[in-house]
Amino acid sequence: MNEQVARNVVLVRAIETADVAHTVLSDDDRKYATRSARELAAWQASDSKTAVTQHHFLQQRAEQIIKRLSERSPAFAAFVRRRPGMTGIWTALPFIAFLTGAALDRIADPHRVDLLSAPLLLIIAWNLLVYLGMLVWAVIPRKRKGGSPLLHRLSVGKAAVPRKLPSALSDGVAHYLADWAVLSEPLTRARLARSFHLAAAGFALGAIASLYARGLLTQYVTGWESTFLDARQVHSLLSWLFLPAMNVFPFLQGFSLAEIEQLRFGSGGTIASGERWVHLYAATLLLLVVLPRLTLAIFAGLRAGRLKRRFPLDLDQPYFRKLADSIGAGAPALLRVIPYSYTLDEARDRGLWALAAKSLGGQARVQLRPTAGYGVEPKDALRDTGLDEGGVTVTAVLFSLAATPEKENHGAFLDYLAKRVPRGVAVLLDESAFVERIGDQPGSEARVLERSALWRQFCSFHGAPAHVVDLLQPDKHPLEFGAGLKLPELR
C-alpha cells in the first residue's frame, strides 16, 4: 500500500484501539465497515481479475470509517484534509541553499579570488567530511534509539489534536500522531537526506554562479596570503585540491611553484590569471560537491519514492491479523503464552483460547508453553523455547494477579524475554485466582484495582504492556493486543 493508504489505515487503527468502549465507533459501525470493505475489495479484485488482498480490504475499510467519522465531526474532517508534515521544506531548503551560496561573495571580498578562500575551502572540506561520516556510518551501523523532534515534526507537522473532538476520538488522533511519527521515520529520513544533498549541491552551485556572475562585471584580483604557510606549502595544498579537476578537464592549466610565489599579496600579485583560478575552483566544486551530492540525492529520492509507493506497514500485527481473519486472508494468528509460576487448569485454558479468538480472530491458535518456575533462571526456564520462532503473532507472559511483582524474579524474566523476542512481549495478568481468594469482602474491588495498577506500573517499567484478564470470564475485560504492544514498527 502507498503512503496515503497506510496513513488512513494507521489512523483508523489508532481510533479503534483507543475507543475501547465503542463510543465513537459502535459495533454496528465496525461491522458495516468490514462488510462494505469486503464487498468493495471483492469488486475491485473482480475488475482487475486478481484475488482479494488484505491491502485492498484495509484500504476500503479505512476509507469507510474515515468517511463516517468525518460526517459526524467537522473537526475530524478538517484534520483528515490537513496535509501532514512540513511538505514545503523539501523544496524550500535547496532553493534557500542556492541563494545563500550565491551571496557567498558578500562574505568575502567581492573583488578578488583568494586562492586560500576560506568559504570555498570550507565548502569542500565540509562535504568531504560528510562523505567520510557516511562511509563510517555505513560500515559501523549504530542502533537508533528513536527519532528526533525534528523528524517527528517533519512527519506529522504540528502535533496538536483538534479541539471539539469526542474524548475517545481525541485519544485516537493523539495515538495516531505518535504512531505515524515513528512509522514514517524511514520515509522522512529519506526525504530529508534528499533535501540535504540537494541543498548542499545547490549551495555549491550558488557559489559557482556567484564566481562567474561577479566575474562578468568585476576584474578579480587573484592571489593569496597567509601568516603560517609559505609558497611551497600553498603550492602542495592547491596541487592536491585541484588534482581531480585538472585530471578530468585537461584544458585546465596547471601552475608552478614560481607562479604561486608571484601571486602572494604584497609580493607583486597579478590579476592576469584570475579566469584560470575561477575555472579551477568551479570545476573542483562541481566534481567534489555538486556531482556527488546530486548522485546521493538521486539515491535518496529513489528510496523515498519506493517507500512512498510501498509503505512498510507490518500487517502481521494483532490488529491486522484479526481483520485479515474476517476475510479469510493469511494464516491464522498464533498466541504464544509463557506462564510464570502459574499453572492453568482446563477452565482457564479454555478462557485463554477464547481471549485469543476475540483479540486475534476466530481462527487464532494458542501455543501454551511449559510453566516457568518461580526463581528459576530465565535462561534455564526457557531452554526449550525458541524465542525467535517464526509465525508467532504475539508472545505473552502470563502472571497471576495474586502474586506480588518482584524485580529480581518477575522483572528479570520480563527483561530476558524483551531482549530476545523479536516482536516484543505483552503481559497477561489473570485476576481470576485473586478474585476467588478475596471473595466478596468489603473493598475487594478496590483491592483488585490497586493490585492491577501496581502490576501495570511494574510491567511498564520493564517495557512490557500489561493487560488484565479473567480467564474464567473471558468477556469481562476487553482485550486489544494491538494497543501498546511493542512491535518492530514501534521500537
Side-chain angles (χ1 to χ4, degrees):
M1 62 180 67
N2 60 36
E3 179 189 7
Q4 180 60 51
V5 174
R7 187 184 294 116
N8 291 341
V9 170
V10 172
L11 175 59
V12 169
R13 180 187 68 174
I15 294 172
E16 286 195 275
T17 52
D19 184 26
V20 178
H22 293 197
T23 57
V24 173
L25 285 171
S26 64
D27 290 333
D28 290 339
D29 290 335
R30 303 182 190 214
K31 291 177 181 178
Y32 173 80
T34 300
R35 183 172 62 253
S36 299
R38 188 187 302 117
E39 295 174 355
L40 291 171
W43 290 339
Q44 186 177 8
S46 177
D47 291 340
S48 59
K49 298 181 180 180
T50 59
V52 177
T53 65
Q54 189 178 5
H55 288 190
H56 293 156
F57 169 71
L58 291 174
Q59 176 183 356
Q60 298 294 342
R61 188 176 186 274
E63 290 176 356
Q64 292 288 325
I65 291 178
I66 289 175
K67 180 180 178 181
R68 176 156 295 196
L69 291 176
S70 297
E71 293 171 349
R72 296 174 180 174
S73 172
F76 179 77
F79 172 78
V80 172
R81 291 193 300 268
R82 189 178 76 184
R83 297 186 66 181
M86 302 167 62
T87 53
I89 195 174
W90 312 126
T91 304
L93 192 61
F95 181 71
I96 294 173
F98 177 82
L99 294 180
T100 305
L104 193 63
D105 63 344
R106 297 294 181 182
I107 301 174
D109 189 341
H111 296 285
R112 82 183 197 184
V113 175
D114 193 341
L115 300 186
L116 298 180
S117 171
L120 297 178
L121 290 176
L122 283 174
I123 292 176
I124 296 171
W126 168 251
N127 282 273
L128 293 178
L129 186 61
V130 169
Y131 303 152
L132 178 61
M134 294 177 63
L135 181 62
V136 172
W137 186 269
V139 175
I140 310 175
R142 298 181 182 180
K143 184 177 180 181
R144 296 189 180 99
K145 296 184 178 180
S148 66
L150 173 62
L151 289 176
H152 287 193
R153 186 65 181 269
L154 292 174
S155 297
V156 301
K158 185 179 179 181
V161 178
R163 298 179 181 180
K164 299 181 181 179
L165 290 180
S167 177
L169 187 55
S170 178
D171 291 342
V173 170
H175 291 159
Y176 156 76
L177 292 173
D179 289 348
W180 186 253
V182 179
L183 283 169
S184 60
E185 183 177 322
L187 176 56
T188 303
R189 284 183 181 275
R191 286 171 170 165
L192 191 60
R194 178 187 60 192
S195 291
F196 276 161
H197 291 312
L198 288 175
F203 188 79
L205 283 173
I208 295 172
S210 172
L211 285 173
Y212 283 104
R214 183 65 58 179
L216 290 175
L217 304 175
T218 303
Q219 178 66 53
Y220 282 126
V221 175
T222 306
W224 65 276
E225 58 185 355
S226 174
T227 301
F228 302 104
L229 301 179
D230 58 27
R232 186 176 300 276
Q233 292 171 322
V234 172
H235 178 266
S236 298
L237 173 62
L238 295 180
S239 296
W240 282 104
L241 179 64
F242 296 139
L243 180 63
M246 289 188 294
N247 286 333
V248 174
F249 303 106
F251 60 86
L252 293 176
Q253 298 179 6
F255 46 89
S256 65
L257 176 59
E259 288 180 286
I260 297 299
E261 290 178 343
Q262 293 176 0
L263 289 173
R264 184 164 189 164
F265 288 120
S267 301
T270 180
I271 62 174
S273 303
E275 180 180 351
R276 176 174 56 164
W277 298 105
V278 169
H279 291 329
L280 282 171
Y281 258 114
T284 300
L285 287 172
L286 180 66
L287 291 176
L288 299 184
V289 181
V290 177
L291 293 181
R293 287 291 196 166
L294 289 179
T295 302
L296 292 171
I298 289 173
F299 280 109
L302 291 175
R303 183 170 186 267
R306 183 175 66 253
L307 291 173
K308 181 179 180 179
R309 292 188 302 272
R310 299 180 181 179
F311 194 87
L313 190 60
D314 182 11
L315 297 183
D316 281 335
Q317 297 173 75
Y319 171 86
F320 298 121
R321 293 293 292 269
K322 183 177 180 180
L323 290 176
D325 184 78
S326 66
I327 61 171
L334 176 62
L335 171 62
R336 176 170 60 187
V337 179
I338 306 176
Y340 183 85
S341 185
Y342 191 36
T343 303
L344 300 185
D345 55 22
E346 185 177 350
R348 289 182 171 84
D349 182 70
R350 289 197 302 269
L352 196 59
W353 279 83
L355 285 175
K358 288 182 175 297
S359 58
L360 300 176
Q363 302 301 316
R365 297 178 292 114
V366 175
Q367 183 189 87
L368 185 62
R369 302 301 301 168
T371 300
Y374 176 81
V376 178
E377 287 293 328
K379 182 179 180 180
D380 298 329
L382 300 170
R383 187 184 304 277
D384 298 327
T385 302
L387 298 180
D388 57 350
E389 178 184 354
V392 176
T393 308
V394 176
T395 297
V397 181
L398 178 62
F399 293 125
S400 173
L401 200 66
T404 302
E406 299 174 357
K407 180 179 179 181
E408 61 275 11
N409 292 308
H410 306 87
F413 193 73
L414 284 178
D415 291 341
Y416 182 88
L417 284 171
K419 293 178 181 178
R420 290 165 176 80
V421 178
R423 300 184 64 84
V425 294
V427 173
L428 298 180
L429 302 171
D430 180 25
E431 67 174 17
S432 60
F434 188 58
V435 171
E436 284 183 344
R437 190 175 72 184
I438 62 177
D440 295 330
Q441 302 175 14
S444 58
E445 185 175 349
R447 290 182 60 187
V448 172
L449 293 176
E450 181 181 357
R451 181 64 63 88
S452 300
L454 175 65
W455 267 103
R456 289 181 188 276
Q457 184 179 9
F458 176 82
C459 294
S460 176
F461 177 78
H462 290 278
H467 310 269
V468 176
V469 299
D470 190 322
L471 295 183
L472 295 181
Q473 303 179 59
D475 296 328
K476 185 176 180 180
H477 299 287
L479 182 63
E480 294 286 352
F481 278 113
L485 182 61
K486 291 185 66 177
L487 297 178
E489 66 168 42
L490 300 182
R491 287 185 171 184

